[in-house]
Amino acid sequence: MDTTAAQLDAIKAFVTTPLPDRLRTGDVERRVLTLFHYCATHVPAYRDFLERHNVSADRIQTLADYRTLPLMTKDNYIRAYPLPARCPGGTLTACDMIAMSSGSTGTATVWPRTPAHELDIAYRFEQVLRDGFQGHERRTLAVVCFALGTWVGGMFTAACLRHLALKGYPLTVATPGSNKDEIFRVVRELGPHFEQVVLLGYPPFVKDVIDSGIAAGLDWPRYRPKLVFAGEVFSEEWRALVCERIGAADPRYATASLYGTADGGVLGNETALSVNIRRFFSERPDAAREAFGESRLPTLVQYDPSSRYFESADNTLVVSGDNGVPLIRYHIADKGGLIACQDLLERVRGYGFDPLAGLDQNSVRDLPFAYIFGRADFTVSYFGANIYPENISVGLEQSAVRKQVSGKFVMQVVETDDHNEALHIVVELLPGANASESLRDTVAATIRAQLLRLNSEFANYVPAQYQMPRIVLKPAGDPEWFPVGVKHRYTRRT
């Protein structure tokens, strides 16, 4: 069980350990096995879990042994045991903070943590700020735009950033949360005193902040913005669009996406290298399909296996790590896979692209890659083709329509009057934009063009006469389709 002394030791280790030293991952096998044996001894729920599966902890002595352990899931472990039993010592006493999952896939779940767990995650933020934004040298204002409250994003992010300030980064943190007027006030009043402003939030909301700021007369380039995202897959066209609107010349060193979950914390992060590779794949959907096995572009991150140990099972991800409730081979149900760093570099070079071209070599780390697709329940099936939100997003980011639509949409397959299927997409307009038949037709055409380019199932399964989507344009913040302040869902079942 963590004690005050252990927490102080964790703080001291974090403050005194340079990032490059931390990212020399060392003996991953020893770390993973140490966590397992600790849980088998000190976590009551996991002891019982092993007994129920007839597993003797003593026989788990190598990573090969470890990979034979039963998978944890929400159903067989998280929901099956009381919260205290899933914590070391069978008590919540050592944990001083809790977060709750959004409950989007069921009942909300509580996830406790200690400062030591935040410090482990803070290295992910340090990697983004140091390697990507030179935050160890530049006076930085970090503006937390995630919702504040029991949800994991806002409070956890603020805590990790404050830990970096404690480590000596010239970093000041502001927490306006999801209040756009407060975000603008913070940027206008404090931004001029810093060398850069970093906005951290969910991609659709950050774009909304940028667009609304422009409409309100906010001169984004003046503040040399950088952007940190989490929570959703987005396209490289989308990244280029938001960078254009904030005046950022090089998206590789102006943006980064975090791969995180409420249960596991931040599991990995984009780097300049991963963005460079992903930008290449966005221009070569054929190569992306060969590399990742799908007609959509995944999030591509690098991860520290000494912090979060990943495995792949049936094209989904399994993670081990300690985030308050220790997780041993936890099936997080995210579709994706793993690629060693040098293997991916060689694969990309095989297509004639140098993935290190134009990069600051000090920002390149020999860390493994994880690729993550959106959850399967965010797709719709149309004539047997899986239609992914990412495919639709690219259509709305084309130059012909992007100045009039926000990028938010809801797609569904509906039955027409003559009992045929139609792909129905409701699209949100930007504030001040007007719905017109011409715009509707243009949106439909750009979405169809990108579906044909990116989604081979759509191109081959859907008859040509059914390929043009039916578009409905709604004003910004429409209460039925795009309510303000509610986490957006891109699909709706009929």
Side-chain angles (χ1 to χ4, degrees):
M1 184 184 303
D2 287 331
T3 64
T4 300
Q7 297 294 332
L8 291 174
D9 287 344
I11 293 171
K12 182 178 179 181
F14 174 76
V15 170
T16 59
T17 302
L19 180 67
D21 291 350
R22 166 68 186 200
L23 297 182
R24 296 187 186 104
T25 54
D27 189 351
V28 172
E29 181 174 51
R30 180 184 60 81
R31 290 173 183 264
V32 172
L33 292 174
T34 297
L35 177 62
F36 164 75
H37 286 290
Y38 176 82
C39 293
T41 302
H42 296 288
V43 179
Y46 195 61
R47 278 201 310 270
D48 183 76
F49 183 75
L50 292 178
E51 290 175 5
R52 288 173 181 266
H53 287 85
N54 298 313
V55 175
S56 170
D58 291 339
R59 74 168 179 80
I60 308 300
Q61 299 297 326
T62 67
L63 270 183
D65 299 334
Y66 184 85
R67 295 187 188 109
T68 68
L69 291 169
L71 296 181
M72 281 184 181
T73 67
K74 278 270 182 76
D75 288 333
N76 75 9
Y77 189 76
I78 303 302
R79 297 188 182 111
Y81 293 96
L83 176 60
R86 290 182 270 120
C87 297
T91 176
L92 284 166
T93 304
C95 296
D96 67 345
M97 194 74 183
I98 63 101
M100 297 185 72
S101 62
S102 65
S104 59
T105 58
T107 304
T109 307
V110 178
W111 302 100
R113 66 180 187 269
T114 71
H117 302 119
E118 294 173 349
L119 294 166
D120 190 32
I121 299 302
Y123 283 111
R124 305 281 70 74
F125 288 88
E126 183 175 13
Q127 191 176 359
V128 168
L129 263 67
R130 182 185 183 93
D131 290 353
F133 305 159
Q134 297 296 298
H136 60 304
E137 298 176 344
R138 298 173 181 167
R139 298 189 313 279
T140 301
L141 174 65
V143 184
V144 178
C145 304
F146 293 107
L148 302 174
T150 57
W151 309 283
V152 70
M155 299 296 290
F156 209 142
T157 296
C160 290
L161 293 171
R162 293 193 72 190
H163 296 323
L164 288 181
L166 178 66
K167 192 169 185 174
Y169 279 68
L171 177 67
T172 300
V173 183
T175 56
S178 54
N179 185 321
K180 286 194 292 185
D181 290 337
E182 282 298 299
I183 294 170
F184 300 151
R185 188 165 73 91
V186 166
V187 172
R188 285 193 175 106
E189 292 190 12
L190 297 178
H193 303 299
F194 294 86
E195 294 175 87
Q196 61 184 357
V197 172
V198 179
L199 304 179
L200 303 98
Y202 295 114
F205 183 71
V206 171
K207 182 178 181 295
D208 186 27
V209 167
I210 292 168
D211 292 340
S212 298
I214 292 172
L218 200 152
D219 180 16
W220 286 114
R222 175 188 178 192
Y223 306 103
R224 297 164 296 281
K226 306 293 188 294
L227 308 173
V228 177
F229 311 111
E232 293 188 13
V233 181
F234 52 81
S235 70
E236 287 305 312
E237 288 88 346
W238 186 93
R239 192 196 306 268
L241 173 61
V242 294
C243 283
E244 175 188 317
R245 291 184 180 174
I246 63 172
D250 189 345
R252 299 172 301 181
Y253 289 101
T255 62
S257 186
L258 306 174
Y259 170 42
T261 64
D263 34 19
V266 178
L267 309 175
N269 55 275
E270 283 191 327
T271 61
L273 175 60
S274 74
V275 174
N276 207 32
I277 293 171
R278 192 173 189 263
R279 281 158 61 87
F280 162 74
F281 279 123
S282 75
E283 298 294 328
R284 289 286 305 275
D286 57 331
R289 279 192 291 272
E290 290 179 5
F292 307 120
E294 292 210 16
S295 298
R296 49 178 174 157
L297 195 62
T299 294
L300 183 66
V301 301
Q302 291 185 272
Y303 67 95
D304 176 2
S306 68
S307 171
R308 296 295 184 268
Y309 177 70
F310 274 109
E311 301 169 78
S312 180
D314 298 324
N315 296 317
T316 59
L317 294 175
V318 173
V319 68
S320 300
D322 187 4
N323 194 42
V325 170
L327 303 175
I328 303 295
R329 304 200 76 222
Y330 179 61
H331 187 240
I332 50 180
D334 282 335
K335 194 169 186 181
L338 309 171
I339 307 178
C341 183
Q342 296 306 317
D343 289 349
L344 184 56
L345 297 187
E346 288 306 310
R347 178 185 284 269
V348 174
R349 290 185 180 116
Y351 293 113
F353 176 72
D354 180 4
L356 303 180
L359 298 182
D360 174 3
Q361 296 307 300
N362 291 323
S363 71
V364 176
R365 311 283 183 187
D366 187 13
L367 294 171
F369 289 87
Y371 59 92
I372 308 98
F373 296 104
R375 291 286 180 89
D377 58 358
F378 294 153
T379 68
V380 298
S381 179
Y382 185 51
F383 285 89
N386 287 318
I387 310 298
Y388 304 104
E390 300 93 305
N391 300 156
I392 308 302
S393 293
V394 175
L396 297 177
E397 288 145 13
Q398 302 304 304
S399 58
V401 299
R402 67 189 191 187
K403 292 183 179 179
Q404 294 167 286
V405 300
S406 73
K408 288 183 182 179
F409 61 90
V410 178
M411 63 175 178
Q412 57 190 156
V413 174
V414 301
E415 185 176 297
T416 63
D417 292 340
D418 53 1
H419 303 291
N420 291 317
E421 285 191 340
L423 181 60
H424 183 276
I425 305 175
V426 181
V427 176
E428 184 185 45
L429 295 167
L430 281 172
N434 295 315
S436 68
E437 185 175 349
S438 174
L439 178 59
R440 185 190 67 200
D441 292 344
T442 303
V443 168
T446 58
I447 289 175
R448 175 180 179 273
Q450 296 306 315
L451 280 168
L452 289 171
R453 182 177 76 89
L454 297 169
N455 192 320
S456 59
E457 287 185 355
F458 180 87
N460 289 282
Y461 295 178
V462 181
Q465 65 268 35
Y466 294 102
Q467 289 178 353
M468 191 68 75
R470 299 188 177 192
I471 304 299
V472 176
L473 302 174
K474 293 290 184 179
D478 181 87
E480 179 182 357
W481 294 94
F482 306 104
V484 177
V486 176
K487 188 172 183 179
H488 184 61
R489 293 183 64 88
Y490 290 92
T491 58
R492 181 177 293 189
R493 306 301 178 192
T494 55

